[in-house]
Amino acid sequence: MRKPDSQPYWNTNVARHAGILRAVPAGCGEALDVGCGDGLLARRLTGRARHVTGVDTSPDMIARARESAAGRPELTFVEGDFLTVDLPAEGYDFICSVTTVHHLDFGSALTRMRELLRPGGALVVVGLALDEGVADWTFRIATQPAVRITKSLRGARTPEGMPVAEARMNYAQVRTEARRLLPGVRYRRHVLRRYSLTWRKPLTA
């Protein structure tokens, strides 16, 4: 497999890439990056998977991703709505998504990811949620200095034109719904204002 690209920029989404890459199953054939943006994570995934597909609704982001992937047959980028675009059922050994599910209907997005994943395949979702309640705000206030310092030291920036949206679910709602749709899912809340969901699809129903 080709060695993945080095990071041309850093932000709190890119900060989660290392953990996502570690979750790719050994011998991964097909991987899917949902909400691939400019294709940075998809390009890095080629170091762990034989072929990577990225899907995004933004024509501008897909154009950038395709330009960066010129001459690389192990990368395919698809423009379209993840919930409706034509993708093969149980076609992927690994599926990931970084700060995209809050742009979609959360339940529908997780359900589709579950259906597209092959038995035994792995899923990693990194997302945003609302701070609601004493526990959420206590966590945010306690970690805010670390977030500011890290962003400053790393020179955090986001590529121009990257689509943004406000989160609509709080952390407790995310955790509850994820556990309902993905039995046995591992939920974690991270310091840099992100949560992650990690799940393995059972080999048998």
Side-chain angles (χ1 to χ4, degrees):
M1 296 178 188
R2 182 168 176 168
K3 185 177 180 179
D5 294 359
S6 59
Q7 294 178 188
Y9 58 87
W10 184 93
N11 56 40
T12 50
N13 293 329
V14 176
R16 305 259 46 96
H17 285 189
I20 291 170
L21 294 171
R22 286 194 296 270
V24 179
C28 181
E30 296 288 334
L32 177 67
D33 182 10
V34 179
C36 64
D38 64 1
L40 174 59
L41 178 56
R43 295 193 299 274
R44 300 188 73 196
L45 282 166
T46 60
R48 304 294 180 97
R50 185 179 67 250
H51 184 268
V52 180
T53 299
V55 59
D56 203 289
T57 58
S58 168
D60 182 50
M61 290 295 112
I62 287 293
R64 294 188 207 178
R66 286 173 176 164
E67 181 180 8
S68 70
R72 298 182 63 172
E74 72 273 27
L75 281 164
T76 299
F77 291 102
V78 178
E79 179 187 336
D81 182 346
F82 168 67
L83 297 180
T84 58
V85 72
D86 186 23
L87 296 168
E90 294 193 346
Y92 301 95
D93 304 295
F94 182 71
I95 298 176
C96 61
S97 180
V98 180
T99 58
T100 295
V101 292
H102 69 286
H103 291 251
L104 307 168
D105 178 81
F106 184 81
S108 298
L110 289 195
T111 298
R112 182 132 212 249
M113 291 178 195
R114 184 184 67 200
E115 293 170 349
L116 294 176
L117 198 63
R118 289 173 180 154
L123 169 66
V124 179
V125 174
V126 173
L128 293 170
L130 298 172
D131 290 301
E132 291 186 354
V134 174
D136 284 345
W137 281 105
T138 299
F139 184 91
R140 180 166 179 175
I141 291 169
T143 57
Q144 193 63 27
V147 173
R148 286 202 191 99
I149 291 169
T150 302
K151 284 184 173 183
S152 177
L153 291 175
R154 296 298 300 268
R157 68 180 182 87
T158 299
E160 184 179 351
M162 192 75 78
V164 296
E166 294 294 326
R168 290 169 287 181
M169 299 171 66
N170 62 39
Y171 289 95
Q173 290 169 332
V174 166
R175 184 172 61 248
T176 298
E177 185 69 353
R179 287 174 175 170
R180 183 181 71 84
L181 294 169
L182 307 173
V185 68
R186 181 189 182 194
Y187 166 91
R188 289 187 62 192
R189 183 166 178 182
H190 301 281
V191 171
L192 297 178
R193 297 194 61 199
R194 299 290 183 272
Y195 68 82
S196 64
L197 307 171
T198 306
W199 185 68
R200 278 270 189 170
K201 187 171 184 176
L203 288 171
T204 57

